[in-house]
Amino acid sequence: IRWEVKRMFKSNKVNMVISLVMAVVLWLYVAGQVDPKTDKKIPDVKIHYLNIYSRQDNGYDFAESSDSRVEVTVEGKRAQLNRIDEEDINVTADLHDCAPGKNTITLKAVTSKKADISKINPATITVTVEERVNRSKPVRVVFTGKDSNNSEPGNVTTNPENINVYGAKSVVDKVKYVRASVPKSKIDHDYTTITAKAVPVDKKGNRVRGVWLSAKRV
């Protein structure tokens, strides 16, 4: 009887282990089926440029890039990927070793979520580096909106009258003037002093990006 009980106990123990292993395998299978690993393409992810200031210290500056945004493919569990968007991905282009002229840079990407980066499209970009220059550009006041009292503003003076624009030569050359937009509704009497944001623009009045100004306000 003792031998029979011992054999039964041993058999039950083996069965328990087998059952436990099967349960784990079944759970892993079900988990994989319910939330399988897949991929997701996230378009329009912004590229961040590293070490721009190191190029400026050497007398050069970032002029242009063949792409400013890319598509990133991430892999992971479907439930995780559903919560990932372009704000959760950081794509960088390191300008540290860039020389004057055109440079091919391999992009890198990381994500703050539980997912893997499987592809960046395009994987490389072409970045142009040029001589860094400094040009003085005039400040021009542009009035917007309607008057409140049927009057027209005139005899305008600005401080400063000119602003220095810094950046890559071809980009700085696009800047025609620095615009200070002033709503007419803010002018309610003579000698009104108004502070406005300084915006570098081209000859068509479009904002020129990628330059630095000696004064941000007028």
Side-chain angles (χ1 to χ4, degrees):
I1 296 175
R2 288 181 181 179
W3 178 83
E4 185 69 23
V5 171
K6 186 176 181 181
R7 189 183 69 171
M8 291 177 59
F9 178 79
K10 185 177 180 180
S11 177
N12 289 337
K13 188 175 181 180
V14 171
N15 290 336
M16 288 177 60
V17 172
I18 294 174
S19 298
L20 180 61
V21 171
M22 291 181 64
V24 171
V25 171
L26 181 61
W27 180 85
L28 292 174
Y29 173 78
V30 172
Q33 293 298 312
V34 174
D35 191 10
K37 191 172 184 180
T38 184
D39 59 43
K40 177 181 180 180
K41 292 182 179 180
I42 302 178
D44 207 35
V45 180
K46 184 179 180 180
I47 300 174
H48 298 276
Y49 300 95
L50 306 179
N51 290 308
I52 290 181
Y53 294 114
S54 69
R55 297 297 84 207
Q56 293 173 352
D57 291 340
N58 290 322
Y60 301 102
D61 211 334
F62 170 80
E64 63 179 357
S65 172
S66 58
D67 293 276
S68 60
R69 295 179 179 272
V70 294
E71 179 184 81
V72 177
T73 302
V74 292
E75 290 183 343
K77 294 293 185 179
R78 190 184 302 278
Q80 291 291 338
L81 298 188
N82 288 338
R83 294 192 289 267
I84 297 179
D85 57 26
E86 63 273 8
E87 298 298 326
D88 300 311
I89 299 175
N90 184 35
V91 178
T92 57
D94 196 341
L95 307 184
H96 184 269
D97 296 324
C98 284
K102 295 185 181 297
N103 301 263
T104 299
I105 299 178
T106 300
L107 300 175
K108 295 181 180 180
V110 296
T111 177
S112 57
K113 301 295 185 178
K114 292 182 179 180
D116 298 319
I117 305 294
S118 63
K119 185 178 180 181
I120 307 174
N121 185 31
T124 62
I125 58 172
T126 300
V127 170
T128 302
V129 173
E130 296 178 353
E131 175 191 5
R132 180 174 170 83
V133 298
N134 169 19
R135 300 282 187 267
S136 178
K137 302 290 181 175
V139 175
R140 183 182 300 177
V141 177
V142 176
F143 295 101
T144 61
K146 296 182 178 180
D147 308 299
S148 58
N149 54 4
N150 295 322
S151 61
E152 186 69 23
N155 193 27
V156 180
T157 58
T158 64
N159 181 25
E161 295 181 353
N162 297 279
I163 288 180
N164 290 335
V165 180
Y166 301 83
K169 186 178 183 303
S170 65
V171 184
V172 173
D173 287 344
K174 294 179 182 178
V175 179
K176 184 69 174 179
Y177 60 93
V178 178
R179 181 177 64 209
S181 298
V182 177
K184 292 181 180 179
S185 59
K186 285 190 175 183
I187 305 174
D188 54 6
H189 60 277
D190 287 343
Y191 306 109
T192 301
T193 299
I194 297 173
T195 300
K197 185 178 179 180
V199 179
V201 297
D202 60 18
K203 61 182 179 181
K204 294 183 179 181
N206 299 316
R207 181 171 183 173
V208 177
R209 299 186 181 275
V211 295
W212 288 259
L213 303 180
S214 59
K216 293 184 179 180
R217 296 192 174 274
V218 178

